[in-house]
Amino acid sequence: GNKTWSPDNFEVGGYRGEIPMVEAIRFSLNTVSVRLSQYTGVSRVAAMAERLGIPNVPSHPSIALGSVEATLLEMTGAYAHLPNGGHKVVPYGIMRIRTRDGKEIYKRPEGDAETVLAKGVVEMMNYMLVDVVRRGTGTKAAIAGHPVAGKTGTSQDYKDAWFIGFTPQLVTGVWVGNDDNKSMKRVTGGSGPSIIWHDF
């Protein structure tokens, strides 16, 4: 028959009514993310994800909750646009290749300064993601004396947990899960991944 898709709020008791976006992100309130994506248009959310380096994003309501299969590198690269002032970021692993005698046969070209996020969007997102670490689900990633911003994530059935965080100098993503895709024992993005991120 016709089933209606409905998001769950992770460990949140009851409906909270209207709340500021900063509070919704602070506590990872899934229903707010879904309502916002519906308000702006799911296709626009998908287009933004692709612009930030996450390919093949379908226009389904569940993308607001991270239902898209994305690698940790793609997700970390997407977040890297925020400390980079909204300028395009393309993750890479090889800077240059030289022969044994020192002849350079490859050098990664300099990236262009294309802007993919407006300054105001970057400032608002950074403010909200700093709040996640100060008072929300990412408090275990906080580093005394250093500005830290980030976001936790936990998939249904505890199959995946992650924390992607950044300081002004460094962006790092941590994913925790089982190779066989089995559920973990209540591991959330705010527990294991945030602690690993902090210790790194």
Side-chain angles (χ1 to χ4, degrees), residues 24 67 127 132 152 157 161:
S67 65
Y127 173 81
V132 167
T152 61
D157 304 323

Side-chain angles (χ1 to χ4, degrees), residues 5-23:
W5 176 76
S6 176
D8 294 323
N9 273 333
F10 183 76
E11 290 188 357
V12 173
Y15 177 66
R16 294 186 178 207
E18 288 189 13
I19 59 169
M21 196 66 212
V22 67
E23 187 175 327

Side-chain angles (χ1 to χ4, degrees), residues 3-124:
K3 285 191 174 181
T4 302
W5 176 76
S6 176
D8 294 323
N9 273 333
F10 183 76
E11 290 188 357
V12 173
Y15 177 66
R16 294 186 178 207
E18 288 189 13
I19 59 169
M21 196 66 212
V22 67
E23 187 175 327
I25 290 178
R26 179 187 309 147
F27 297 116
S28 288
L29 302 182
N30 295 337
T31 51
V32 175
S33 300
V34 172
R35 298 257 328 249
L36 180 62
S37 72
Q38 290 172 336
Y39 175 78
T40 59
V42 176
S43 62
R44 291 178 72 191
V45 175
M48 172 65 78
E50 294 214 24
R51 203 162 76 217
L52 298 179
I54 302 172
N56 307 315
V57 178
S59 292
H60 298 306
S62 62
I63 66 170
L65 305 180
S67 65
V68 174
E69 292 277 329
T71 68
L72 182 61
L73 182 61
E74 289 166 347
M75 289 297 294
T76 305
Y79 276 78
H81 292 84
L82 297 171
N84 199 38
H87 300 297
K88 187 168 182 74
V89 174
V90 178
Y92 63 93
I94 298 173
M95 295 178 67
R96 65 173 43 101
I97 300 172
R98 293 187 181 123
T99 62
R100 285 186 183 155
D101 60 1
K103 181 182 175 191
E104 190 173 87
I105 57 174
Y106 170 81
K107 182 177 179 185
R108 182 182 179 274
E110 290 289 324
D112 55 18
E114 179 186 352
T115 300
V116 294
L117 292 174
K119 181 181 178 188
V121 171
V122 170
E123 289 171 352
M124 285 187 286

